[in-house]
Amino acid sequence: MKKHGLPKANRLRKRGDYILAAGEAVRRLRSGCFLLIIRPNGRSESRLGITVTRKIGKAVVRNRLKRQVREFFRLNRQLLPPGQDMVVIARQGAVDLSSQYIQARLSVLISDPQP
């Protein structure tokens, strides 16, 4: 078993999970080049899904951005509210951001006090 990484139990892995999150979203938060969709999942743990379209760039660029987002959530798992599915959608311009700026934008999204 890996010491690091986001376990499979903490990831959205099926297309149906993404569709449910979009359809039953309780909150949609936008910050910079990211959109965060939140939906209760009825589980004890939160799960993360990441969407980066081909418009953002080639596979190497998209995968790098996904790794940065995944790493932020792995390191800040304790800040996440339990029992929620969260889908992060990267928008145009996200590729040009530094890791520190990505972390700052995502921390603003997950700490947003809106109901």
XYZ file of all heavy atoms in Angstrom, residues 62-102:
342
model
N -2.565 18.643 -18.832
C -3.770 18.319 -18.062
C -3.444 17.445 -16.863
O -3.942 17.670 -15.756
C -4.797 17.608 -18.957
C -5.332 18.472 -20.069
C -6.522 17.838 -20.753
N -6.367 16.452 -21.139
C -5.992 16.023 -22.335
N -5.696 16.896 -23.286
N -5.921 14.732 -22.606
N -2.592 16.451 -17.054
C -2.230 15.553 -15.957
C -1.456 16.280 -14.869
O -1.638 16.010 -13.680
C -1.428 14.363 -16.476
C -2.286 13.433 -17.292
O -3.514 13.393 -17.126
N -1.668 12.682 -18.184
N -0.602 17.209 -15.247
C 0.146 17.992 -14.259
C -0.806 18.807 -13.395
O -0.675 18.848 -12.173
C 1.141 18.917 -14.958
C 1.937 19.775 -14.007
C 2.964 20.629 -14.775
N 3.539 21.597 -13.892
C 3.079 22.823 -13.727
N 2.035 23.250 -14.405
N 3.659 23.654 -12.895
N -1.787 19.434 -14.029
C -2.773 20.224 -13.295
C -3.589 19.333 -12.361
O -3.828 19.693 -11.203
C -3.678 20.958 -14.284
C -4.695 21.921 -13.704
C -4.012 22.996 -12.859
C -5.492 22.564 -14.827
N -3.978 18.169 -12.830
C -4.734 17.244 -11.977
C -3.897 16.789 -10.783
O -4.408 16.680 -9.669
C -5.211 16.036 -12.781
C -6.345 16.378 -13.723
C -6.971 15.142 -14.318
C -6.226 14.669 -15.524
N -6.915 13.578 -16.240
N -2.617 16.535 -11.010
C -1.734 16.144 -9.901
C -1.639 17.239 -8.847
O -1.652 16.971 -7.638
C -0.332 15.803 -10.413
C -0.205 14.424 -10.961
C 1.256 14.012 -11.134
N 2.049 14.964 -11.890
C 2.149 14.977 -13.215
N 1.511 14.093 -13.941
N 2.905 15.868 -13.816
N -1.567 18.495 -9.295
C -1.481 19.613 -8.352
C -2.758 19.730 -7.525
O -2.701 19.940 -6.313
C -1.210 20.914 -9.097
C 0.178 20.997 -9.668
C 0.378 22.230 -10.528
O -0.539 22.693 -11.207
N 1.593 22.758 -10.501
N -3.903 19.590 -8.159
C -5.180 19.672 -7.443
C -5.302 18.500 -6.480
O -5.673 18.673 -5.310
C -6.366 19.697 -8.436
C -7.689 19.571 -7.711
C -6.325 20.969 -9.273
N -4.971 17.294 -6.934
C -5.050 16.102 -6.085
C -4.141 16.234 -4.866
O -4.522 15.884 -3.745
C -4.677 14.881 -6.911
C -5.240 13.597 -6.398
C -4.942 12.409 -7.306
N -5.411 12.613 -8.672
C -4.625 12.635 -9.741
N -3.325 12.465 -9.633
N -5.126 12.814 -10.939
N -2.958 16.768 -5.072
C -2.006 16.939 -3.969
C -2.535 17.925 -2.943
O -2.389 17.723 -1.737
C -0.652 17.403 -4.514
C 0.407 17.608 -3.469
C 0.873 16.312 -2.811
O 0.413 15.225 -3.204
O 1.696 16.402 -1.885
N -3.162 19.008 -3.398
C -3.745 19.959 -2.462
C -4.783 19.268 -1.582
O -4.782 19.434 -0.359
C -4.394 21.134 -3.199
C -5.205 22.000 -2.290
C -4.585 22.935 -1.476
C -6.576 21.854 -2.192
C -5.326 23.717 -0.608
C -7.323 22.623 -1.329
C -6.697 23.558 -0.533
N -5.662 18.495 -2.177
C -6.702 17.825 -1.401
C -6.116 16.745 -0.500
O -6.605 16.528 0.603
C -7.779 17.255 -2.321
C -8.777 18.297 -2.728
C -8.567 19.070 -3.851
C -9.906 18.537 -1.960
C -9.467 20.051 -4.225
C -10.807 19.516 -2.321
C -10.593 20.280 -3.447
N -5.077 16.076 -0.943
C -4.447 15.054 -0.100
C -3.851 15.683 1.155
O -4.022 15.182 2.258
C -3.355 14.320 -0.880
C -2.731 13.178 -0.090
C -1.565 12.576 -0.837
N -0.415 13.440 -0.876
C 0.472 13.573 0.116
N 0.323 12.908 1.223
N 1.499 14.386 -0.018
N -3.183 16.818 0.978
C -2.539 17.471 2.112
C -3.527 18.190 3.029
O -3.227 18.425 4.192
C -1.487 18.470 1.612
C -0.282 17.863 0.906
C 0.611 18.950 0.351
C 0.485 16.948 1.840
N -4.689 18.543 2.518
C -5.664 19.308 3.300
C -6.945 18.529 3.550
O -8.017 19.114 3.709
C -5.989 20.622 2.570
C -4.770 21.499 2.489
O -4.299 22.019 3.479
N -4.234 21.636 1.289
N -6.842 17.227 3.587
C -8.017 16.374 3.777
C -8.770 16.689 5.059
O -9.984 16.594 5.122
C -7.586 14.915 3.763
C -8.689 13.988 3.351
C -8.256 12.563 3.255
N -6.965 12.399 2.611
C -6.351 11.257 2.503
N -6.887 10.173 2.980
N -5.187 11.168 1.915
N -8.056 17.114 6.099
C -8.692 17.425 7.374
C -9.591 18.660 7.300
O -10.485 18.832 8.128
C -7.660 17.594 8.492
C -6.836 18.866 8.426
C -5.692 18.835 7.433
O -5.470 17.850 6.742
N -4.945 19.921 7.344
N -9.390 19.524 6.315
C -10.216 20.713 6.150
C -11.525 20.429 5.421
O -12.436 21.252 5.443
C -9.452 21.785 5.358
C -8.136 22.279 5.940
C -7.471 23.247 4.986
C -8.364 22.930 7.289
N -11.604 19.282 4.772
C -12.778 18.957 3.979
C -13.936 18.539 4.866
O -13.752 17.775 5.816
C -12.460 17.821 3.001
C -11.310 18.044 2.043
C -11.103 16.798 1.200
C -11.555 19.251 1.175
N -15.126 19.018 4.554
C -16.290 18.552 5.305
C -16.551 17.083 4.970
O -16.444 16.692 3.806
C -17.427 19.451 4.810
C -16.955 20.007 3.518
C -15.461 20.002 3.548
N -16.876 16.248 5.969
C -17.081 14.823 5.691
C -18.380 14.580 4.927
O -19.316 15.365 4.997
C -17.140 14.206 7.092
C -17.551 15.314 7.980
C -17.006 16.574 7.371
N -18.410 13.488 4.199
C -19.624 13.067 3.518
C -20.025 13.899 2.322
O -21.204 14.094 2.063
N -19.048 14.387 1.563
C -19.360 15.214 0.400
C -18.555 14.738 -0.808
O -17.416 14.319 -0.683
C -19.000 16.669 0.679
C -19.616 17.171 1.940
C -20.332 18.484 1.740
O -20.128 19.163 0.761
N -21.165 18.818 2.682
N -19.206 14.822 -1.965
C -18.501 14.631 -3.227
C -18.143 16.010 -3.743
O -18.992 16.903 -3.763
C -19.378 13.921 -4.255
C -19.530 12.442 -3.975
O -18.746 11.902 -3.180
O -20.441 11.826 -4.567
N -16.901 16.193 -4.129
C -16.443 17.470 -4.647
C -15.815 17.256 -6.018
O -14.945 16.404 -6.170
C -15.433 18.094 -3.707
C -16.060 18.542 -2.417
S -14.858 19.156 -1.285
C -14.681 17.716 -0.270
N -16.293 18.021 -6.980
C -15.743 17.959 -8.331
C -15.098 19.306 -8.625
O -15.750 20.345 -8.528
C -16.836 17.655 -9.378
C -16.231 17.658 -10.779
C -17.503 16.327 -9.088
N -13.818 19.285 -8.955
C -13.091 20.492 -9.330
C -13.001 20.511 -10.846
O -12.517 19.549 -11.461
C -11.668 20.509 -8.720
C -10.889 21.715 -9.210
C -11.741 20.494 -7.209
N -13.480 21.585 -11.444
C -13.412 21.760 -12.893
C -12.437 22.895 -13.178
O -12.625 24.008 -12.701
C -14.799 22.078 -13.482
C -15.765 20.941 -13.168
C -14.692 22.318 -14.988
C -17.194 21.218 -13.566
N -11.392 22.586 -13.913
C -10.389 23.596 -14.272
C -10.855 24.328 -15.522
O -11.357 23.727 -16.465
C -9.039 22.941 -14.511
N -10.674 25.628 -15.516
C -11.064 26.477 -16.637
C -9.816 26.984 -17.355
O -8.695 26.796 -16.895
C -11.889 27.669 -16.133
C -13.154 27.281 -15.419
C -14.143 26.744 -16.388
N -15.427 26.517 -15.720
C -16.358 25.767 -16.225
N -16.198 25.180 -17.375
N -17.490 25.596 -15.579
N -10.038 27.680 -18.475
C -8.933 28.264 -19.230
C -8.080 29.140 -18.309
O -8.604 29.848 -17.469
C -9.467 29.136 -20.367
C -10.074 28.369 -21.502
C -9.033 27.647 -22.349
O -7.841 27.855 -22.221
N -9.514 26.777 -23.216
N -6.804 29.061 -18.464
C -5.893 29.878 -17.670
C -5.350 29.162 -16.445
O -4.379 29.613 -15.845
N -5.939 28.049 -16.054
C -5.474 27.327 -14.863
C -4.069 26.770 -15.059
O -3.307 26.663 -14.101
C -6.446 26.204 -14.516
N -3.728 26.453 -16.281
C -2.414 25.885 -16.573
C -1.300 26.887 -16.302
O -0.208 26.518 -15.886
C -2.370 25.424 -18.050
C -0.976 25.068 -18.471
C -3.299 24.261 -18.236
N -1.582 28.158 -16.508
C -0.562 29.191 -16.356
C -0.315 29.585 -14.903
O 0.569 30.385 -14.631
C -0.974 30.436 -17.148
C -1.160 30.122 -18.621
O -0.424 29.270 -19.146
O -2.060 30.726 -19.243
N -1.087 29.028 -13.973
C -0.976 29.406 -12.562
C 0.146 28.638 -11.876
O 0.411 27.477 -12.200
C -2.296 29.129 -11.838
C -3.537 29.798 -12.417
C -4.760 29.351 -11.646
C -3.396 31.303 -12.379
N 0.743 29.270 -10.886
C 1.771 28.594 -10.095
C 1.098 27.656 -9.095
O -0.097 27.787 -8.799
C 2.617 29.622 -9.341
O 1.838 30.256 -8.352
N 1.869 26.732 -8.564
C 1.332 25.797 -7.570
C 0.800 26.537 -6.350
O -0.239 26.174 -5.796
C 2.407 24.811 -7.127
O 2.766 23.987 -8.197
N 1.504 27.583 -5.933
C 1.069 28.344 -4.767
C -0.262 29.040 -5.030
O -1.132 29.088 -4.162
C 2.122 29.394 -4.367
C 3.403 28.813 -3.835
C 4.336 28.334 -4.948
O 4.177 28.688 -6.115
N 5.300 27.505 -4.595
N -0.440 29.570 -6.225
C -1.696 30.247 -6.550
C -2.838 29.234 -6.647
O -3.945 29.501 -6.194
C -1.566 31.027 -7.859
C -2.749 31.916 -8.115
C -2.876 33.138 -7.456
C -3.752 31.533 -8.989
C -3.971 33.956 -7.679
C -4.844 32.345 -9.219
C -4.952 33.555 -8.564
O -6.044 34.345 -8.778
N -2.571 28.072 -7.202
C -3.587 27.022 -7.270
C -4.015 26.630 -5.868
O -5.205 26.516 -5.573
C -3.052 25.801 -8.050
C -2.920 26.149 -9.532
C -3.957 24.587 -7.863
C -2.237 25.085 -10.358
